[in-house]
C-alpha cells in the first residue's frame, strides 16, 4: 500500500481502519472518518477497492466487537458476508462474491487423456495398484521392512483426507481471499454454511421387483390423490402389474418409456397387441435421471471440509459449520451494503514446451523443436508481460516471454492478472488483464454481475496503451458493484 495525504474516496459504506503498524481495527462510519481527516488525525491509504483509513498512532488494547464471516458455497462461486455484532442489532458490512472459475477440470482431463494414450502405447510398466508393485501375500514381502512400514501407515488413527486437485484449489482460493480480508478487517468468527446433502434418486432399476416399486412411486407422485390407477381402465382396485406398451414378442424392450402399470384383466385382454392397436394413447412420465445437484452438493461439501481443515489452526474456538444457509438473515439487510467481486489471481503460466512428445527421429529444422531429456518437444510462445515506456515518444511496447527476464528500468510492466484502467472508444474500462498479444495489445476481462449463481466475464481488446493505468498488482483483486 502507498500512503497519500488526501484521497478522493467513495465514502459510502463502512470505512476500514488501520493503526500505525497496520493492525486492523473496527470499521467506522463515513461521518466519523470525515471528521478525523479534516482535523488531521488520520489519512487515507490508497486501495484499489476499499476505503481505508490509517491512524498516526498505535492502539495498544483496541475495543473490538465480534465480526463473523459467513461462507456459502456455490457451483462456480462462493459468497462471503461479513456481519458485525452491534449493541442492539447486527450490521452487515460487506457482501463479497468470490469467483471460482478455473480451467483445472479441462487440464485434468487433458492430463488423464495424455496418460491414457501413453499407457495404450505401452510407455508404462505393468499396472500398479495403489503404489504396490507386488503382491502383499508373498512370504518374503510380508516379513520385509516395507511391509511393516506400510502396516504402520495403515494403522494410523488420524490420516489426512485426500481431496482432488480441484477441491484443494477452491479451498486455497477462498483461503487467499480470507487472508486478504483479515489484513483489513479484524475477523473473529468463521461460519461455514454446509447444506445437508439431498438423497440421491435411485437410477433405473434392473430387477423386476425394484422396477415395479420405482414405477409405483413415480406414477403415484403424478396423481393428485397419490393413488395408483390402471393406465387402460383407470381402476384403483386390485394389484397392478408391469405392462409393456409394445410387447416383447414384437420387439419391445424394458426401457422406461415402454413400461406402464395395468390391472391383471387389462394386461390379459391386451395380450400381444400394442396400445395403439387397442385404441389407447398413453403418455409416460420421464425416467429418473442422474441428479447433478447431488454431485454439486458433494463437491461443495468436500470444499467445506478442506477449508475447515485449513482454517482450524487460525480459529480453533470460533470456527463452526452450520447446516443452514440463512444463518445471517437476522442481520441488518441494508440496501447500502457494499458488494464486491473477489478474484484470486492464478499464477502465471510457466509452460514453455508442448505436452506432446515427439520421437527422437523428428527433424529439427528450426528452433521450435528441441530435445528435452529422452524426447523431442516443441517450444511454445507464452507472453507473460508487456513493457511500456514512461514517455509518450515511444509508440511500440516490448512483449516479454516466459524465458525472458526483466531487470527494471524506466518502464512500466503490465502482467497477466493485474487490475488496469484504460479507455476504449471514449469509454473508460476497468478490468483484469487476461492475455497479452504478441502485437502489444491487451485483452481485459470485465465482470458481468451474478448470473445464475456465478460470475460471467466479457472480454475486450485494448489497442491504445497511452491511457493505460495500473491500479493493483495484488494477488487477490476486489471489484466493486457500482450499479
Amino acid at each position: 500500500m502507498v500512503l497519500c495525504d488526501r484521497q478522493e474516496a467513495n465514502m459510502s459504506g463502512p470505512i476500514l481502519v488501520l493503526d500505525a503498524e497496520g493492525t486492523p481495527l473496527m470499521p467506522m462510519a463515513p461521518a466519523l472518518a470525515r471528521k478525523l481527516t479534516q482535523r488531521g488525525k488520520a489519512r487515507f491509504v490508497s486501495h484499489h477497492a476499499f476505503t481505508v483509513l490509517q491512524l498516526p498512532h498505535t492502539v495498544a488494547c483496541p475495543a473490538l466487537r465480534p465480526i463473523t464471516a459467513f461462507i456459502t458455497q456455490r457451483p462456480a462461486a462462493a459468497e462471503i458476508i461479513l456481519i458485525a455484532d452491534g449493541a442492539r442489532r447486527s450490521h452487515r458490512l460487506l457482501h463479497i462474491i468470490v469467483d471460482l472459475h478455473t480451467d483445472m477440470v479441462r487440464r485434468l482431463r487433458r492430463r488423464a487423456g495424455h496418460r491414457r494414450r501413453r499407457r495404450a502405447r505401452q510407455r508404462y510398466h505393468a499396472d500398479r495398484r495403489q503404489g504396490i508393485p507386488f503382491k502383499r501375500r508373498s512370504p518374503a514381502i510380508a516379513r520385509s521392512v516395507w511391509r511393516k512400514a506400510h502396516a504402520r501407515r495403515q494403522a494410523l488413527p488420524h490420516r489426512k483426507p485426500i481431496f482432488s486437485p480441484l477441491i484443494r484449489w477452491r479451498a486455497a482460493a477462498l483461503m487467499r481471499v480470507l487472508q486478504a480480508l483479515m489484513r483489513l478487517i479484524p475477523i473473529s468468527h468463521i461460519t461455514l454454511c454446509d447444506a445437508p446433502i439431498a438423497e440421491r434418486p435411485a437410477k433405473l432399476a434392473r430387477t423386476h421387483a425394484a422396477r415395479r416399486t420405482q414405477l409405483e412411486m413415480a406414477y403415484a407422485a403424478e396423481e393428485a390423490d397419490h393413488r395408483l390407477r390402471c393406465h387402460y381402465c383407470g381402476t384403483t382396485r386390485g394389484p397392478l402389474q408391469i405392462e409393456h406398451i409394445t410387447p416383447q414378442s414384437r420387439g419391445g424392450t424394458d426401457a422406461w418409456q415402454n413400461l406402464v402399470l395395468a390391472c391383471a384383466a387389462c394386461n390379459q385382454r391386451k395380450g400381444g397387441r400394442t396400445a395403439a392397436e387397442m385404441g389407447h394413447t398413453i403418455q409416460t412420465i420421464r425416467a429418473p435421471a442422474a441428479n447433478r445437484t447431488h454431485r454439486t452438493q458433494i463437491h461443495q461439501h468436500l470444499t467445506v471440509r478442506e477449508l475447515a481443515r485449513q482454517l482450524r489452526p487460525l480459529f480453533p474456538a470460533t470456527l463452526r459449520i452450520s447446516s443452514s444457509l440463512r444463518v445471517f438473515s437476522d442481520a441488518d439487510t441494508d440496501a447500502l451494503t457494499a458488494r464486491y467481486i473477489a478474484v484470486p489471481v492464478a499464477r502465471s503460466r510457466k509452460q514453455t514446451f508442448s505436452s506432446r512428445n515427439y520421437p527422437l527421429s523428428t527433424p529439427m529444422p528450426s528452433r521450435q523443436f528441441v530435445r528435452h531429456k529422452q524426447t523431442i518437444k516443441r517450444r511454445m510462445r507464452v507472453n507473460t508481460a508487456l513493457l511500456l515506456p514512461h514517455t509518450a515518444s515511444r509508440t511500440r511496447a516490448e512483449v516479454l516471454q516466459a524465458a525472458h527476464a526483466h531487470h527494471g528500468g524506466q518502464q512500466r510492466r503490465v502482467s497477466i492478472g493485474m487490475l488496469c484502467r484504460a479507455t476504449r472508444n471514449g469509454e473508460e474500462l476497468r478490468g483484469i488483464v487476461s492475455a497479452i498479444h504478441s502485437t502489444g495489445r491487451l485483452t481485459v476481462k470485465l465482470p458481468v454481475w451474478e448470473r445464475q449463481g456465478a460470475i460471467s466475464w466479457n472480454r475486450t481488446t485494448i489497442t491504445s496503451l497511452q491511457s493505460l493505468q495500473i491500479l493493483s498488482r495484488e494477488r487477490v483483486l476486489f471489484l466493486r458493484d457500482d450499479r
Side-chain angles (χ1 to χ4, degrees):
M1 293 184 179
V2 181
L3 295 179
C4 57
D5 296 334
R6 181 70 65 180
Q7 179 186 5
E8 293 294 335
N10 187 5
M11 301 295 287
S12 62
I15 308 300
L16 309 184
V17 184
L18 303 176
D19 64 357
E21 296 182 354
T23 304
L25 304 176
M26 288 297 296
M28 64 175 58
L32 180 58
R34 193 177 295 110
K35 290 182 180 179
L36 293 178
T37 53
Q38 291 176 357
R39 297 175 183 177
K41 296 182 179 181
R43 53 180 175 177
F44 287 108
V45 175
S46 62
H47 194 274
H48 66 277
F50 301 113
T51 305
V52 184
L53 201 67
Q54 188 168 26
L55 304 178
H57 57 276
T58 303
V59 181
C61 298
L64 302 178
R65 292 183 177 271
I67 297 181
T68 308
F70 293 92
I71 305 175
T72 305
Q73 296 288 326
R74 292 185 181 180
E79 190 176 5
I80 301 178
I81 296 180
L82 299 181
I83 297 179
D85 293 345
R88 297 182 179 180
R89 60 179 182 178
S90 300
H91 300 273
R92 184 180 298 192
L93 299 178
L94 296 176
H95 183 188
I96 301 173
I97 301 175
V98 184
D99 182 38
L100 296 179
H101 280 97
T102 177
D103 61 340
M104 183 167 290
V105 176
R106 180 185 60 84
R107 291 190 282 116
L108 291 176
R109 291 177 180 174
R110 181 180 178 183
R111 186 183 66 178
H114 174 66
R115 291 179 175 178
R116 185 168 55 251
R117 289 189 296 269
R118 291 193 60 181
R119 192 177 294 110
R121 293 195 298 266
Q122 298 181 358
R123 291 283 186 92
Y124 289 152
H125 298 287
D127 293 342
R128 299 182 179 184
R129 296 183 177 179
Q130 300 178 355
I132 304 174
F134 31 70
K135 295 183 179 179
R136 298 182 181 178
R137 298 182 180 180
S138 176
I141 298 303
R143 296 189 297 268
S144 64
V145 178
W146 177 89
R147 183 65 181 87
K148 297 178 181 179
H150 179 72
R152 287 194 300 268
R153 289 193 300 267
Q154 295 293 331
L156 291 178
H158 302 288
R159 299 185 62 188
K160 180 180 178 180
I162 301 176
F163 297 101
S164 64
L166 182 60
I167 298 296
R168 295 198 302 267
W169 181 89
R170 288 171 58 95
L174 289 174
M175 192 68 182
R176 289 167 55 190
V177 174
L178 287 175
Q179 290 176 350
L181 291 175
M182 289 167 59
R183 299 189 192 100
L184 302 175
I185 303 174
I187 300 177
S188 59
H189 296 70
I190 298 290
T191 300
L192 302 179
C193 303
D194 187 14
I197 301 177
E199 296 183 0
R200 177 184 297 180
K203 297 183 179 179
L204 193 60
R206 295 184 178 181
T207 62
H208 183 82
R211 186 164 297 184
R212 173 193 173 92
T213 304
Q214 199 173 34
L215 282 171
E216 291 178 353
M217 295 177 60
Y219 281 99
E222 294 291 327
E223 300 294 338
D225 53 356
H226 300 284
R227 299 182 62 182
L228 296 177
R229 290 179 172 82
C230 175
H231 277 67
Y232 294 108
C233 64
T235 182
T236 58
R237 298 179 180 180
L240 300 180
Q241 302 175 355
I242 295 180
E243 205 277 322
H244 293 77
I245 300 175
T246 301
Q248 292 180 330
S249 60
R250 302 179 61 175
T253 62
D254 290 336
W256 181 275
Q257 293 78 7
N258 195 44
L259 300 178
V260 292
L261 296 175
C263 61
C266 292
N267 194 6
Q268 186 177 5
R269 189 184 317 113
K270 179 175 177 292
R273 295 178 297 176
T274 63
E277 293 175 355
M278 293 186 62
H280 293 281
T281 303
I282 300 178
Q283 295 182 356
T284 59
I285 62 177
R286 298 180 60 182
N291 191 358
R292 297 185 178 181
T293 306
H294 180 270
R295 301 178 185 176
T296 305
Q297 289 177 345
I298 293 181
H299 187 81
Q300 299 171 6
H301 173 69
L302 295 178
T303 305
V304 169
R305 288 183 54 190
E306 173 64 14
L307 184 60
R309 187 187 66 84
Q310 298 182 14
L311 288 174
R312 194 165 285 112
L314 300 178
F315 302 90
T318 58
L319 173 64
R320 73 185 187 97
I321 300 178
S322 175
S323 60
S324 176
L325 297 179
R326 295 298 178 185
V327 291
F328 46 82
S329 58
D330 297 335
D332 183 16
T333 58
D334 190 1
L336 298 179
T337 303
R339 292 185 45 177
Y340 294 87
I341 288 181
V343 183
V345 180
R347 296 180 180 178
S348 59
R349 188 177 180 183
K350 298 182 179 180
Q351 182 180 2
T352 57
F353 299 103
S354 62
S355 59
R356 180 178 176 181
N357 296 326
Y358 295 89
L360 293 176
S361 59
T362 303
M364 295 186 293
S366 61
R367 296 183 179 179
Q368 293 183 355
F369 293 90
V370 294
R371 179 163 180 171
H372 182 71
K373 297 182 180 180
Q374 298 299 323
T375 184
I376 301 296
K377 286 185 174 291
R378 182 173 59 87
R379 292 184 182 271
M380 297 184 62
R381 183 183 180 91
V382 181
N383 300 329
T384 58
L386 184 68
L387 297 183
L388 300 176
H390 281 295
T391 60
S393 59
R394 187 174 178 179
T395 58
R396 183 174 178 82
E398 180 182 356
V399 180
L400 293 183
Q401 299 184 17
H404 296 168
H406 174 51
H407 303 286
Q410 301 297 325
Q411 292 178 341
R412 292 180 300 167
R413 175 168 179 166
V414 181
S415 303
I416 296 178
M418 290 185 178
L419 181 63
C420 299
R421 179 190 300 164
T423 304
R424 184 174 184 271
N425 297 332
E427 181 182 1
E428 182 178 340
L429 303 178
R430 182 188 178 101
I432 303 174
V433 178
S434 61
I436 298 177
H437 302 262
S438 301
T439 57
R441 297 180 298 175
L442 297 177
T443 297
V444 179
K445 60 179 184 179
L446 311 173
V448 179
W449 286 88
E450 213 173 353
R451 190 175 180 180
Q452 297 179 354
I455 303 296
S456 59
W457 299 87
N458 290 337
R459 287 172 170 80
T460 181
T461 303
I462 298 177
T463 57
S464 177
L465 303 179
Q466 299 295 332
S467 60
L468 185 66
Q469 181 182 1
I470 301 175
L471 300 180
S472 176
R473 303 173 183 267
E474 299 181 7
R475 306 310 299 172
V476 178
L477 301 177
F478 295 92
L479 302 176
R480 178 160 182 160
D481 183 6
D482 296 329
R483 294 181 300 175

